[in-house]
Amino acid sequence: MANDKIILAGLEFYAHHGCHPAEAELGQPFILDIELVLDLSPAGKTDDLKATINYDAVYRLVRTIVTEGRFHLLEALAETVAQKILVSFPVEEVMVRIKKPRAPLPGTIAYAGVEIRRRRKSTDFPGGYSKGR
């Protein structure tokens, strides 16, 4: 497994996720960090975008999921993002961290959040991804 990563940090979207009716009605910001684990040496050697993952495409996919979907739990949102990335891009592993800075809690808090890591299964990427590229 590669130790290389593409990192997208601090992706902020306004969305309507949460269990409370006010969260669904009013919405709030969500901040995501995404790490894509894959071998970046082909791109490093060739300086060719085709040898890596275009992070603009990852950003657009994540934005669509977060802003157009509706989830009660951050866990479900994170799982959906991770699984869509695994089936859409040739990554070995993905980490998704979601921060909810306006979580409806009775005290002062920087954010509530979740972080998950998911690894590729051999059937995840139908495009024929192989580690050797």
Side-chain angles (χ1 to χ4, degrees), residues 1-127:
M1 181 170 140
N3 288 319
D4 304 338
K5 295 178 185 178
I6 293 175
I7 301 168
L8 299 173
L11 286 67
E12 187 168 342
F13 305 105
Y14 198 86
H16 296 81
H17 308 297
C19 292
H20 300 288
E23 293 176 302
E25 182 181 337
L26 302 173
Q28 61 189 300
F30 293 83
I31 302 167
L32 285 81
D33 299 324
I34 308 289
E35 292 182 2
L36 309 173
V37 177
L38 69 154
D39 182 4
L40 296 176
S41 63
K45 291 174 185 171
T46 64
D47 198 25
D48 185 354
L49 181 58
K50 294 178 196 153
T52 190
I53 294 174
N54 184 337
Y55 49 79
D56 179 61
V58 177
Y59 176 89
R60 286 185 278 115
L61 174 67
V62 172
R63 179 186 63 203
T64 298
I65 294 166
V66 175
T67 62
E68 294 181 10
R70 170 74 174 98
F71 298 89
H72 288 102
L73 301 177
L74 293 180
E75 294 86 341
L77 175 57
E79 188 69 34
T80 299
V81 169
Q83 293 303 323
K84 293 285 189 179
I85 288 172
L86 284 171
V87 299
S88 301
F89 301 98
V91 299
E92 296 175 21
E93 180 179 311
V94 62
M95 184 283 296
V96 177
R97 179 182 305 117
I98 303 177
K99 300 173 187 175
K100 186 175 177 180
R102 295 188 193 158
L105 297 170
T108 303
I109 181 172
Y111 65 86
V114 299
E115 176 178 313
I116 65 169
R117 289 185 184 277
R118 298 295 181 262
R119 292 198 50 147
R120 164 168 315 291
K121 296 176 187 150
S122 61
T123 57
D124 282 342
F125 192 69

